[in-house]
């Protein structure tokens, strides 16, 4: 692979996996200098920014990955959804998760992301439906199970408050 960006990309991905974001960033920047149009580099740089709690930068990099990819990829869209959630851009997060879902309808984590975005938009009934779909695929998902409980509680509180008789 002399002159190829791929070894730098893969080493950067491995550093990300082992929770070494600084080393990952250095390797990924080397990869980007060799191949500035590879969308996978921007996706991984977006993940680094996300791990460093630079959520706005993560969104920029992940959007760049999508622009460069030509066709949306599930992982890019899902990562972008999570970054948008952190930026409190819930509508955009939901759209990113929906795109990921269209690409892979059987991905439990994408369904959980959609459900969480819906829950944060104060749409607990729709969130419940998506948490159930997620848990039907991956029943041991602790996040989905816990958030489902919260969504059910929110929905029941909402229906109780709507049923309270107020003569005035």
């Amino acid at each position: 692979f002399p002159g190829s960006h791929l070894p730098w990309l893969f080493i950067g991905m491995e550093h990300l996996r082992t929770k070494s974001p600084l080393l990952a960033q250095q390797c990924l920047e080397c990869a980007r200098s060799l191949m500035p149009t590879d969308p996978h580099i921007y996706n991984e740089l977006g993940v680094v920014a996300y791990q460093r709690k630079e959520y706005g930068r993560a969104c920029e990099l992940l959007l760049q990955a999508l622009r460069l990819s030509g066709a949306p990829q599930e992982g890019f869209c899902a990562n972008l959804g999570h970054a948008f959630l952190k930026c409190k851009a819930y509508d955009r997060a939901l759209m990113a998760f929906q795109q990921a879902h269209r690409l892979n309808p059987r991905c439990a984590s994408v369904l959980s992301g959609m459900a969480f975005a819906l829950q944060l938009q104060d749409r607990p009934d729709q969130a419940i439906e998506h948490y159930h779909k997620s848990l039907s695929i991956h029943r041991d998902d602790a996040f989905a199970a816990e958030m489902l409980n919260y969504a059910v509680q929110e929905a029941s509180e909402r229906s109780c408050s709507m049923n309270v008789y107020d003569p005035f």
Side-chain angles (χ1 to χ4, degrees):
F1 296 104
S4 174
H5 71 290
L6 293 175
W8 289 112
L9 173 61
F10 297 142
I11 292 168
M13 291 169 70
E14 186 62 23
H15 282 304
L16 252 177
R17 192 186 68 75
T18 59
K19 307 288 188 228
S20 301
L22 186 59
L23 291 172
Q25 173 119 21
Q26 291 172 349
C27 292
L28 293 168
E29 290 296 347
C30 286
R32 181 163 60 172
S33 70
L34 293 169
M35 181 60 70
T37 58
D38 185 336
H40 296 90
I41 296 169
Y42 290 87
N43 180 64
E44 297 302 322
L45 285 168
V47 173
V48 169
Y50 184 93
Q51 287 184 355
R52 297 173 92 181
K53 299 182 183 347
E54 298 169 1
Y55 304 120
R57 179 77 179 134
C59 290
E60 292 170 13
L61 289 161
L62 293 164
L63 285 167
Q64 181 67 13
L66 282 170
R67 279 191 289 276
L68 290 170
S69 70
Q73 296 188 24
E74 176 206 345
F76 296 3
C77 294
N79 289 343
L80 182 60
H82 289 290
F84 278 141
L85 283 176
K86 288 293 191 174
C87 291
K88 298 184 179 178
Y90 304 132
D91 290 338
R92 294 184 80 185
L94 182 58
M95 288 187 332
F97 286 125
Q98 287 170 334
Q99 179 66 43
H101 180 65
R102 282 190 289 277
L103 296 165
N104 183 3
R106 300 279 307 153
C107 182
S109 63
V110 167
L111 286 163
S112 291
M114 288 173 65
F116 191 57
L118 289 163
Q119 191 169 358
L120 292 170
Q121 292 177 325
D122 199 29
R123 296 159 64 185
D125 294 331
Q126 291 173 302
I128 290 167
E129 180 182 336
H130 284 80
Y131 285 130
H132 278 294
K133 288 178 183 177
S134 174
L135 288 166
S136 74
I137 295 168
H138 187 257
R139 36 182 137 244
D140 296 331
D141 184 342
F143 174 79
E146 183 71 20
M147 294 311 296
L148 173 61
N149 289 333
Y150 285 117
V152 168
Q153 183 177 357
E154 288 171 22
S156 69
E157 288 171 359
R158 173 183 276 186
S159 74
C160 287
S161 68
M162 289 179 175
N163 293 332
V164 172
Y165 176 70
D166 184 3
F168 303 103

